[in-house]
Amino acid sequence: MSHIWLIGMMGSGKSSVGRELALRRAQPFYDTDAAVEAAVGMTIAEIFGSEGEGRFRSLESEAVHQIASQPEGIVATGGGVVLDGASVETMRSSGVTVLLEADSTALISRVAQGDDRPLIAGDPEARIGEIAADRAERYAAAADVIVDADGSIAQVADRVEQACAAS
Ligand code: S3P
């Protein structure tokens, strides 16, 4: 399988860009967050609330491994997927990892409306900056290519396609 694995912070546009790419390429679209929710019949907020982040991470890792064996497609991952070394290895050995990189201001404006991201609940502005700084090295190490995620969905999808063609 040679998936395109979209990685990056919450609000970087992985799901919307991933759907656009899947349409363009007539390939399946996968989403690790949706796979986790479907696996246990709970929302992510419910999993964090009742079973904790550790349980969510182990479900997320299972989702990555399961999706890796599916027909070639585009995968939107949860922002924390890079925290698990085995998931990073699985992604890189089953396709290309594309980091969607945006600055904190852009990320905050995209996530500010929702209440479904437990890690930034309460103070999204502060938390996004902290989490991005904590994970910066992991994102860079996990990425085969890095794409600027500022701009429209179509513009970012163009950049991903160009970067994948050149990689
Ligand atoms: C998380 C990102 C979320 C989701 C969960 C944890 C993270 O996905 O997996 O809330 O640790 O960055 P999105 O990146 O799709 O928002």
Side-chain angles (χ1 to χ4, degrees):
M1 296 309 122
S2 193
H3 290 323
I4 294 177
W5 294 90
L6 299 176
I7 63 173
M9 280 292 292
M10 295 168 253
S12 58
K14 294 162 295 193
S15 299
S16 42
V17 171
R19 280 197 196 89
E20 167 73 13
L21 286 167
L23 274 177
R24 288 185 186 189
R25 299 160 71 97
Q27 288 185 339
F29 171 69
Y30 307 101
D31 182 319
T32 62
D33 285 343
V36 166
E37 291 184 332
V40 290
M42 295 164 78
T43 66
I44 289 169
E46 286 167 348
I47 300 167
F48 270 77
S50 66
E51 302 184 26
E53 180 174 351
R55 170 73 174 144
F56 172 76
R57 296 294 171 209
S58 104
L59 291 165
E60 182 174 54
S61 173
E62 282 169 29
V64 166
H65 293 283
Q66 202 271 334
I67 292 169
S69 65
Q70 298 298 307
E72 185 171 300
I74 318 298
V75 192
T77 62
V81 75
V82 294
L83 300 173
D84 181 60
S87 293
V88 173
E89 272 181 39
T90 298
M91 293 190 292
R92 297 191 76 173
S93 62
S94 61
V96 56
T97 51
V98 179
L99 174 61
L100 299 189
E101 201 168 60
D103 65 28
S104 292
T105 311
L107 299 174
I108 289 161
S109 72
R110 291 188 197 150
V111 299
Q113 304 309 317
D115 59 358
D116 54 348
R117 291 178 169 101
L119 288 183
I120 57 170
D123 191 353
E125 297 195 9
R127 292 293 294 139
I128 283 282
E130 287 163 11
I131 294 170
D134 283 351
R135 291 183 184 163
E137 278 182 25
R138 286 180 187 271
Y139 282 132
D144 291 316
V145 291
I146 300 178
V147 162
D148 176 3
D150 285 329
S152 69
I153 292 168
Q155 284 171 326
V156 180
D158 287 347
R159 287 181 205 132
V160 173
E161 290 203 297
Q162 282 157 15
C164 288
S167 78

